[in-house]
Amino acid sequence: MVKHTADIYDKIKALISQGETSEVESKSARGGFPGSFWESYSAFANTNGGTIVLGVAEKGNRFLLDGLTEDAVVRYKKTFWDCAHNKGKISVCLPHESDVRIEKIEEAYIMICHIPRASYELRPVYVTPNPFGNTYRRNHEGDYLCTDAEVRRMFADADHDRHPQDGRILSGFVFERDIDMESLHQYRQTLASLQPSHPWVGISDMDFLKKLGAYATEYETGKEGFTLAGILMFGKYDSITNNSGNPMYFVDYRERIGTDNPDVRWTNRIYPDGLWEANLYQFYIRVYNRLIQSLPRPFMMKDGIRQEETPAHDAVREALINCIIHQDVNAMGHIIVECTDDCLVFRNQGTMLISEQQYFEGGRSICRNPILQKMFMRLGRAEKAGSGVDKIVSGWRSLGLPLPTITEETRPDYVVLTMQLNTKPHKKTPQENNPRKPHKKTPQENNPRKQPKKDLRRRQLLEFCNEAKLLVEIMQHLGLKDRKNVVNVYINPMIDAGMLAMTEPNNPTSRNQMYVTVKDIHKKE
């Protein structure tokens, strides 16, 4: 094995064309083409793509070259392409010729293979002919084996064009018992005020629901009834959560504004508390009206008429509707919207059907719940042509705020859209205006700034871990990306101090390891 050099990893990174790649996996090939290569291939394809570097071993954060010859790497490249086109080895060949190449570092050769993110139609990507037990995904811990339920959700997404989940016809639901008339009539009144001459304005409630897609008939089977979309949008909460509907349904708005009191968890909360019919339409109305309270209302004129709403209002509305219509009702979890002094966060269960790059490029609309999408579109809300993202971005830029970010979390799966709420313009310091002349701070200058930030994050971590949380959830909550730094600076010292505890103390490196505040453990005991 070639002697380790400190800059090997930097050299490898320089050779990799990142593109959409967010992760790099190194694999030793001294004993032949590694079988684990295909597990990582599957994992990257089913998540956000990545790059596999063959011929490099990683040990204790040190990268060592295998010392492979050019002939050996050429053979491995042929082996790769032979297997990539063999459905008995991997279900689909994703890379192009330009994605796989041989490079030389010092006196050794390596193979760099970029694995693109698979489009939703091609997922799951799996090893061997059987997807169950052979499908992988990626998280911060590495590759993990998907459960059968996760595999089935991927197949459902692949077929969502023909069988959208919100179009499923439910059995046993009836108009009089299961539809909330107040919600339906609110919706109809809004439509009538926007389009007074619309032909649907004067028809009966039942005919209106049929036109809207809330009630449907399958021509092939003759089966008819309320669709899942209809019950979610206009149903009574007890009807929605019936075993014949969506028993895991839950919606949650959490607001924490204008308080530094650590004992105050939320200053306002909207969730199914029995005081209102918690269907999607009522949730949308209530939450939108709360969210816009955080936005400035500048004086704007258009054609001589004062405009109460701004592009920022459009951005918030689109973000909220996107959160609702893109949820995966078959995934673990539920819709969560959070509003703090710092940001708005929209979380919906499931995964993205397009990549992050495609999301921000816009122009492509792939909606998991197209009937719900059409229901909002009838009211002039939601965008089908992929321009909704443009409204989110441009609306936020109109306030001079940072570009919204979107991330995917795993186990459980969530799509998280974060919109920063810092309306005060950032004033550049002389140092930022002249970055070529860095000022090296003394320890005395650094300590007063760093210590309070650490203390604040510790308090945030303790509050967040009132319920057991995975490390990846903690990192997301703190806004930190360096896993080892979070563990070494926060997690381990807080465990040693008796502030945090592991849920699996006998297996510290378990992928299912979670952390919880000690006071909650005492309460449960």
Side-chain angles (χ1 to χ4, degrees), residues 176-428:
E176 294 78 9
R177 180 190 62 204
D178 301 312
I179 296 298
D180 176 48
M181 295 304 296
E182 181 181 351
S183 298
L184 176 58
H185 288 167
Q186 268 187 282
Y187 181 96
R188 296 199 64 176
Q189 288 165 7
T190 303
L191 176 62
S193 65
L194 293 171
Q195 304 179 59
S197 61
H198 196 285
W200 296 1
V201 169
I203 63 178
S204 69
D205 286 338
M206 196 63 196
D207 287 339
F208 181 83
L209 289 171
K210 291 178 180 179
K211 293 287 188 183
L212 206 57
Y215 190 98
T217 301
E218 286 182 353
Y219 288 168
E220 294 179 355
T221 64
K223 181 180 180 180
E224 65 177 88
F226 284 99
T227 60
L228 178 60
I231 295 299
L232 289 175
M233 192 73 161
F234 303 115
K236 297 177 181 178
Y237 181 70
D238 289 344
S239 300
I240 295 173
T241 56
N242 185 277
N243 285 335
S244 298
N246 183 15
M248 301 305 293
Y249 172 84
F250 195 84
V251 286
D252 198 355
Y253 170 75
R254 306 165 179 176
E255 184 178 291
R256 193 173 193 278
I257 296 177
T259 180
D260 294 324
N261 186 346
D263 295 328
V264 177
R265 192 169 187 186
W266 311 113
T267 54
N268 190 20
R269 194 176 180 196
I270 300 172
Y271 67 102
D273 57 1
L275 300 177
W276 58 292
E277 292 295 354
N279 54 46
L280 289 180
Y281 186 60
Q282 292 296 331
F283 180 72
Y284 162 73
I285 292 173
R286 284 165 165 76
V287 172
Y288 175 70
N289 287 332
R290 291 299 308 178
L291 290 173
I292 60 176
Q293 302 304 313
S294 301
L295 301 178
R297 289 177 177 264
F299 183 82
M300 293 180 63
M301 298 291 291
K302 183 178 181 181
D303 299 327
I305 301 174
R306 176 168 178 166
Q307 304 296 303
E308 292 296 331
E309 292 197 346
T310 68
H313 290 76
D314 290 337
V316 170
R317 182 187 294 112
E318 290 297 327
L320 176 58
I321 292 176
N322 280 354
C323 185
I324 291 172
I325 67 178
H326 291 294
Q327 64 171 311
D328 185 348
V329 298
N330 298 315
M332 184 184 301
H334 54 272
I335 292 172
I336 303 172
V337 180
E338 294 181 320
C339 177
T340 68
D341 293 319
D342 299 321
C343 62
L344 306 179
V345 181
F346 303 84
R347 301 164 63 91
N348 64 267
Q349 70 276 32
T351 59
M352 295 178 66
L353 294 180
I354 57 177
S355 68
E356 180 181 348
Q357 181 175 335
Q358 291 171 325
Y359 176 87
F360 282 110
E361 285 175 353
R364 187 182 184 195
S365 177
I366 302 176
C367 183
R368 190 175 272 114
N369 299 288
I371 300 177
L372 287 174
Q373 183 184 42
K374 290 177 183 176
M375 289 176 176
F376 282 106
M377 288 176 62
R378 294 294 179 191
L379 301 181
R381 314 298 188 232
E383 299 287 342
K384 193 172 183 180
S387 57
V389 176
D390 295 336
K391 283 190 174 183
I392 294 173
V393 172
S394 62
W396 229 232
R397 281 179 172 165
S398 72
L399 295 178
L401 296 172
L403 183 73
T405 63
I406 192 161
T407 58
E408 288 186 278
E409 298 176 357
T410 55
R411 295 284 178 95
D413 293 336
Y414 271 101
V415 178
V416 184
L417 174 67
T418 303
M419 303 167 72
Q420 295 295 325
L421 266 179
N422 182 5
T423 55
K424 294 181 179 179
H426 175 62
K427 295 181 179 179
K428 287 189 176 182

Side-chain angles (χ1 to χ4, degrees), residues 7-16 53 56 105 110 112:
D7 61 346
I8 284 178
Y9 185 59
D10 292 334
K11 290 182 179 179
I12 292 173
K13 285 179 64 179
L15 289 172
I16 296 173
V53 182
V56 180
I105 297 182
I110 61 174
I112 297 174

